[in-house]
């Protein structure tokens, strides 16, 4: 169906994107001239000239705890109690090494071990600064037993981001089961994170189906937040698909707002092509 964008919205969007495009072009030219004029020099870091023994971050000295760990995380995980392996993993300072060890570790867990491990994670002193590892653990639990993972989060973790993560992981593989589980599920706050997670999970495979779910929602924070969750998956399909996707929105107010938001996102990908995309919207709407 043709886009129903008023002339003021189109004019504002075109002017805004042209301003961004020109600004980026000028910025790039200025940076090129600056690089050509400056003599090459090694980059300086805040800790570069600090004396040994200061609080500066060592560039090459390995952390003793990390150096003493066995090179094979998967072997260590299989030879120790899960909660002990978890504790050792969370203490690793290097983020890449810690992530590799965590991935190895969750692969060793059976579905009936996750509850104790998740409880141990929450009780660990590093829990508040190991959010990535927590999400990895929860995603693995969803893969092993989505019902148990979701019930645990419902009872023990009110974080909106965590709830969205769990349901999105579930909906990406079984949207019907995830949708049935969240039906009527209470969620405190200004928006329903269960629903936002569901739509994100559906969008990862089918942005158009996710759009149908959004249009069934009442206007409000849940609806507007859910739209933003779909954008990465729409943009992944390209500019042509993005235009078709916006054209498929039947609610005029939702369509106008979504077109503006998506135009901003597309500008970050390719300012020039985003300008042409908005111009196409103008041509279609007139």
């Amino acid at each position: 169906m043709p886009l129903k964008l008023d002339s003021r919205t189109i004019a504002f969007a075109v002017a805004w994107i042209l301003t961004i495009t020109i600004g980026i072009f000028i910025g790039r030219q200025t940076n090129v001239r600056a690089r050509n004029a400056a003599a090459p020099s090694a980059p300086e870091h805040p800790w570069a000239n600090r004396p040994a023994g200061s609080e500066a971050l060592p560039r090459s000295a390995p952390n003793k705890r990390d150096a003493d760990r066995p090179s094979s995380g998967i072997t260590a995980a299989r030879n120790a109690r899960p909660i002990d392996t978890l504790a050792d993993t969370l203490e690793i300072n290097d983020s890449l090494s810690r992530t590799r060890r965590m991935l190895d570790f969750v692969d060793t867990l059976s579905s009936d071990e996750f509850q104790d491990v998740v409880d141990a994670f929450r009780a660990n002193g590093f829990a508040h600064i190991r959010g990535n590892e927590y999400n990895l653990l929860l995603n693995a639990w969803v893969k092993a037993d989505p019902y148990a993972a979701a019930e645990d989060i419902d009872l023990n973790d009110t974080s909106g981001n965590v709830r969205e993560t769990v349901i999105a992981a579930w909906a990406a593989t079984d949207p019907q089961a995830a949708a049935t589980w969240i039906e009527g599920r209470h969620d405190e706050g200004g928006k329903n994170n269960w629903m936002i997670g569901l739509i994100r999970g559906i969008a990862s495979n089918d942005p158009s189906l996710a759009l149908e779910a959004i249009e069934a929602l009442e206007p409000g924070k849940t609806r507007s937040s859910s739209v933003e969750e779909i954008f990465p998956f729409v943009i992944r399909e390209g500019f042509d698909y993005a235009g078709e996707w916006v054209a498929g929105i039947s609610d005029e107010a939702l369509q106008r707002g979504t077109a503006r938001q998506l135009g901003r996102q597309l500008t970050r990908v390719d300012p020039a092509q985003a300008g042409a995309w908005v111009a196409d919207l103008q041509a279609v709407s007139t």
Side-chain angles (χ1 to χ4, degrees):
M1 63 172 287
L3 297 181
K4 299 176 181 178
L5 302 180
D6 57 67
S7 58
R8 292 181 61 189
T9 297
I10 291 294
F12 173 80
V14 171
W16 181 81
I17 287 181
L18 287 177
T19 301
I20 293 295
T21 303
I22 294 170
I24 290 175
F25 176 79
I26 293 174
R28 286 174 178 169
Q29 295 303 310
T30 302
N31 288 339
V32 169
R33 289 195 296 270
R35 284 197 299 270
N36 291 338
S41 59
E44 293 188 6
H45 301 285
W47 58 83
N49 298 318
R50 295 193 183 186
S54 70
E55 293 181 356
L57 177 66
R59 300 273 306 179
S60 59
N63 177 270
K64 186 177 186 301
R65 181 182 294 276
D66 293 348
D68 290 342
R69 297 180 186 278
S71 58
S72 174
I74 191 71
T75 301
R78 286 173 176 166
N79 293 335
R81 292 192 311 159
I83 59 174
D84 293 334
T85 302
L86 173 69
D88 288 342
T89 300
L90 296 182
E91 291 178 8
I92 297 175
N93 288 330
D94 179 73
S95 60
L96 292 177
S97 298
R98 188 174 61 250
T99 299
R100 293 189 187 103
R101 180 69 66 82
M102 195 71 187
L103 288 169
D104 286 343
F105 170 57
V106 297
D107 282 343
T108 70
L109 297 176
S110 61
S111 59
D112 59 354
E113 290 178 313
F114 276 98
Q115 184 68 69
D116 288 342
V117 172
V118 170
D119 290 343
F121 193 112
R122 292 173 181 145
N124 189 282
F126 284 95
H128 69 291
I129 59 171
R130 298 291 189 248
N132 289 338
E133 289 71 27
Y134 187 46
N135 285 336
L136 283 175
L137 179 60
L138 293 178
N139 272 274
W141 195 4
V142 170
K143 184 177 180 180
D145 188 345
Y147 290 95
E151 291 289 351
D152 173 82
I153 294 303
D154 189 24
L155 293 173
N156 300 312
D157 197 327
T158 59
S159 166
N161 289 334
V162 170
R163 292 184 170 193
E164 290 174 21
T165 295
V166 168
I167 297 302
W170 190 358
T173 58
D174 192 346
Q176 185 59 54
T180 300
W181 186 87
I182 72 167
E183 187 175 357
R185 190 75 53 170
H186 180 65
D187 188 33
E188 297 178 357
K191 56 187 178 181
N192 188 325
N193 298 105
W194 299 124
M195 180 59 69
I196 295 171
L198 177 70
I199 290 173
R200 183 200 304 170
I202 294 173
S204 67
N205 293 308
D206 191 341
S208 295
L209 182 60
L211 178 59
E212 291 181 19
I214 285 177
E215 290 201 278
L217 298 176
E218 294 292 329
K221 291 184 178 179
T222 298
R223 193 188 207 189
S224 59
S225 296
S226 296
V227 170
E228 295 173 5
E229 294 293 328
I230 305 182
F231 287 162
F233 306 106
V234 173
I235 294 171
R236 179 183 64 187
E237 301 300 322
F239 281 78
D240 290 341
Y241 178 86
E244 295 171 0
W245 184 80
V246 172
I249 302 175
S250 58
D251 183 291
E252 293 184 22
L254 179 63
Q255 187 183 65
R256 287 195 297 270
T258 300
R260 286 195 298 268
Q261 290 177 285
L262 185 56
R264 295 188 186 101
Q265 296 287 334
L266 290 171
T267 300
R268 299 174 186 174
V269 177
D270 187 328
Q273 195 170 356
W277 187 82
V278 171
D280 287 341
L281 294 185
Q282 184 178 22
V284 171
S285 63
T286 55

